[in-house]
Every structure is written in C-alpha cells, then in structure tokens.
Amino acid sequence: MTTHRFARIAPALFVLLWSSGFVGAKFGMPWAPPLHFLVARFAAVLAIMLPAAPFLRVTWPRNQLLIHTALAGLLVQTGYFTCVFMAMHTGLSAGMVALIAGLQPVMVSIFAGLVLRERRNRLQWIGLALGVAGVFMVIQNKLGHGNVTGLGVALAFVALVSISLGTVYQKRFCNGVDVVATSIIQCAVSLLILLPLAALFESGSIHWNGQFIFSLLWVVVVVSIGAIGILLWLLRHGEAGQVSGLFFLVPPTTAVIAWLCFGDELSAFMLAGIALTMLGVYLASPRN
C-alpha cells in the first residue's frame, strides 16, 4: 500500500482501532488489576516488537531526542493508559471514559496555544464551553450510582490532560523519530515504571483464561501496535491540532461498540450530551 493510499484510510482506521481499545480493555478488567494488566500489555508489545526491530531497520534516536521520546511516552502511554484503566476499574463505563477523552482536541488546542503560540478565536472558546457542558450532561446522572464516582471521572480527566500534553510534546520535540523506535522506547519506559508500582500497590494477580488472553491480545496488537502506530504516523505527517481532531469521533464510535458488546446505556439525554460534546469539540478544534 502506497503512502498516499494509506494516508486516505489512516484517519478512519485509527478511530475504529482506538475506539475498540476501550471495549477490549473492559473485557479483561475482571481478570486482572489495572496495573498488572498494563504490565502484561507493555511486556507483550516489547516481546513482539523488539525481535522485529532489526528486520524493520529501525533507526534509534540518540541523546536529547531519546530523552524527549521517553518523556513523551510518559504522557501518551504511561499516564494516559494508567488513568484510563484505573478509571474503568472504578466502574466508569468504556463509553464514558471515551467521551471524556474525546475532549482531547479542545485540550490540545489550549496546550498548542501555550506551547506553539497558536491563537484561538471566539468560536473555539464557545466550542470549549459546549464540549464541557456536553460531558457533564452524560456523566451527571451517573455520579454516585453504583461504582461510578468522582474518582473515576477525575482519573478520566487526568488521562485526557496527559495524552493532550503528550500529543503536543510529541509533535514539538519528537517529530521525525522512527515510529517503531518510538513505540518500543515508550513501552519500555512504561514497563519500567509500572512493574514496581504493580508489585507494591496491587495485591491481586492475573487470572489467565481465554477472555483475558483475548483482551490482552486485542489491546496489544490492535491498540498498542496498530492504533498507536497510526497515531504516531499521523503526528509525523500532519499537525497536532488536525490529528487530535480525530478524537471527537471516538466517543460515539466507542459508545456504539460498548452498547453492542455490554448493553451500556444510551438514553436520549446521553445521546444529546454526546452530540453537544461533538459539536463543541468540532468548533474548538483548530482547522485550516
């Protein structure tokens, strides 16, 4: 497949694969504590990609560029996925986590303005307000019910901030770094950080069964290798703001997948909140 042809299908493919990751992770949640799950995930990615690196003729970053790549990984991989998995572990639905993370274009617009000195107009600030309002339309009737609490929502927002900062940082300091090298370095950093944390703070263990193995393979192959690889490729070939705009398509895609797989609620009020959020994110996202 030529680069031109891949560029045409890459955005849609990224949205589909990334959205499915929330649901894929949910399948494995009952069988592993979140940090243990992530340790297995990053270890599996490295087990697949490291042996393949010589055959892919990977070009490794050095010196300052290596440090920047690792720091970007702390935000895009370690911080984001840790908070997402812990948010779902508290009981937050896959669709709701995706909805909050779908505000990423708004956050990237803000951070890109601070870091890259991009100016935002009045319409973009209106979009920010609409996006936040839409999120709370969806989550307000769930707070305090069952296992869905403010902690889960807070973790989802931390994940949002982490990946938004990481997207801008990745574009600013790591542009041009080999995509495979980036994935390997960032997964290795995440594994080194999460392995001792899982051992120290989680008392449970992984229950290896068919459902967990399927979930693990899904988040490893489809998300960590597939979706993140496409995301890094898109950031390398486009602007951070334009790439982040794809995330406004993730919440409705995830909500439909979660409804099909888990029967997650999709009330008219929640659908209205999703629509308002999507409108707000669209208005707030930088466009040429």
Side-chain angles (χ1 to χ4, degrees):
M1 182 181 296
T2 65
T3 300
H4 178 69
R5 289 180 179 177
F6 182 71
R8 288 190 294 180
I9 67 170
L13 186 60
F14 167 74
V15 170
L16 180 61
L17 298 185
W18 188 268
S19 300
S20 72
F22 293 97
V23 178
K26 189 91 172 182
F27 272 110
M29 282 291 170
W31 311 108
L35 296 184
H36 280 68
F37 196 151
L38 287 171
V39 165
R41 171 186 186 158
F42 290 123
V45 172
L46 292 174
I48 294 172
M49 299 190 72
L50 275 175
F55 300 98
L56 298 174
R57 298 181 180 179
V58 172
T59 302
W60 299 97
R62 297 180 179 181
N63 304 323
Q64 198 71 18
L65 195 55
L66 174 61
I67 295 174
H68 282 311
T69 303
L71 290 175
L74 291 176
L75 296 167
V76 175
Q77 301 255 23
T78 316
Y80 174 74
F81 285 113
T82 298
C83 290
V84 163
F85 273 56
M86 293 185 70
M88 288 195 287
H89 185 68
T90 68
L92 208 63
S93 72
M96 195 177 298
V97 174
L99 179 68
I100 295 173
L103 286 173
Q104 193 213 11
V106 178
M107 299 297 293
V108 168
S109 179
I110 294 173
F111 293 142
L114 295 173
V115 176
L116 307 176
R117 305 301 182 189
E118 296 177 359
R119 300 182 64 181
R120 294 171 300 282
N121 57 39
R122 183 179 301 176
L123 185 62
Q124 288 175 319
W125 285 112
I126 293 174
L128 172 61
L130 291 177
V132 173
V135 168
F136 281 98
M137 282 179 64
V138 176
I139 67 175
Q140 62 85 26
N141 67 322
K142 294 229 177 230
L143 288 175
H145 291 259
N147 294 324
V148 183
T149 65
L151 175 61
V153 174
L155 286 168
F157 272 103
V158 173
L160 164 66
V161 173
S162 183
I163 195 172
S164 300
L165 280 171
T167 298
V168 174
Y169 192 96
Q170 180 85 31
K171 182 63 181 178
R172 174 67 177 83
F173 295 105
C174 310
N175 200 28
V177 179
D178 187 282
V179 171
V180 176
T182 299
S183 296
I184 291 174
I185 292 167
Q186 294 182 351
C187 284
V189 169
S190 299
L191 181 61
L192 288 173
I193 292 174
L194 294 179
L195 185 59
L197 292 179
L200 288 172
F201 297 108
E202 289 184 340
S203 57
S205 60
I206 297 175
H207 297 278
W208 294 92
N209 56 35
Q211 184 172 326
F212 176 76
I213 293 173
F214 171 82
S215 176
L216 179 63
L217 289 175
W218 190 271
V219 298
V220 167
V221 177
V222 174
V223 182
S224 291
I225 296 177
I228 292 180
I230 296 173
L231 174 62
L232 294 173
W233 187 89
L234 288 168
L235 284 172
R236 185 173 181 177
H237 292 84
E239 297 181 0
Q242 292 175 326
V243 175
S244 70
L246 294 173
F247 280 81
F248 82 85
L249 296 172
V250 171
T253 305
T254 303
V256 172
I257 296 174
W259 173 65
L260 292 172
C261 295
F262 301 116
D264 282 7
E265 181 184 3
L266 270 179
S267 67
F269 190 73
M270 293 175 67
L271 288 172
I274 290 174
L276 186 61
T277 301
M278 298 305 101
L279 173 62
V281 171
Y282 173 75
L283 294 177
S285 298
R287 297 180 296 279
N288 290 331

